[in-house]
Amino acid sequence: MVKEYEGKVSLAEEDMLNHNTDENRTKLHAVNAEYIRYLKLEESILKQKTQLQWFKKGDTNSEYFHALIRGRRRRLFIHKITNEQGDWIQGDDNIANAACAHFKAIFTGDEKRVNEVMLNCIPTMVTAEQNQMLQAMPTMDELK
């Protein structure tokens, strides 16, 4: 049905280009609307088929389920990263060492101090009274 409407849309567009009339414009809009309706219907059917296939094949520990998981792992795997100098680092151990060194430098480095002047640009959302209440030890009633 979608292929049929693709042809109808093409003919209506051609008519519109050759004879730009209100009638041809209305016809093109109507055919386009039907075409979009059938596209959405086809998409909905394909989505339902995919979900049904998942239900049939993927609900158990099947080959289909494991293939999906392997594909997801492959997409999420970090193959290489760049360091601060812009050099590419590859290999699990090298990437792990570079990540450890990077975060160690961030959290233990003395040369990277926070510029407190910049913090003054951030609006204060919590009042001093609210801050004191948030820092207070909870009572037994609050813990229940």
Side-chain angles (χ1 to χ4, degrees):
M1 198 59 129
V2 171
K3 292 274 187 202
E4 180 183 325
Y5 270 92
E6 285 176 355
K8 287 182 179 181
V9 168
S10 294
L11 288 175
E13 286 175 344
E14 200 172 302
D15 286 346
M16 180 68 182
L17 288 173
N18 292 333
H19 307 288
N20 190 357
T21 63
D22 288 339
E23 182 182 327
N24 283 343
R25 189 175 304 114
T26 303
K27 181 182 172 185
L28 175 62
H29 289 303
V31 171
N32 233 351
E34 282 294 305
Y35 174 62
I36 290 169
R37 190 180 78 128
Y38 281 113
L39 275 177
K40 288 182 179 180
L41 182 65
E42 183 181 62
E43 181 184 353
S44 173
I45 291 169
L46 289 175
K47 186 176 179 181
Q48 289 174 8
K49 281 183 178 179
T50 303
Q51 288 171 345
L52 182 62
Q53 187 178 18
W54 167 258
F55 183 73
K56 283 181 180 176
K57 295 182 179 178
D59 203 24
T60 61
N61 287 334
S62 67
E63 184 179 340
Y64 179 75
F65 175 76
H66 289 291
L68 285 177
I69 298 302
R70 279 194 304 273
R72 183 175 294 156
R73 282 184 185 153
R74 237 181 269 121
R75 280 193 316 272
L76 296 176
F77 184 77
I78 298 173
H79 297 281
K80 60 184 179 178
I81 61 172
T82 58
N83 61 12
E84 291 178 357
Q85 291 79 30
D87 300 324
W88 284 103
I89 298 172
Q90 292 180 311
D92 292 345
D93 292 337
N94 295 336
I95 290 173
N97 291 336
C100 288
H102 173 76
F103 287 106
K104 184 176 182 182
I106 288 175
F107 294 118
T108 61
D110 292 330
E111 69 278 351
K112 295 184 180 180
R113 295 195 175 257
V114 175
N115 184 355
E116 293 183 21
V117 174
M118 293 175 68
L119 294 177
N120 293 332
C121 298
I122 301 171
T124 304
M125 304 300 284
V126 178
T127 66
E129 183 181 296
Q130 290 170 328
N131 192 33
Q132 188 176 14
M133 186 178 77
L134 289 169
Q135 291 178 349
M137 291 295 289
T139 64
M140 291 304 288
D141 290 336
E142 291 174 326
L143 293 175
K144 289 183 182 178

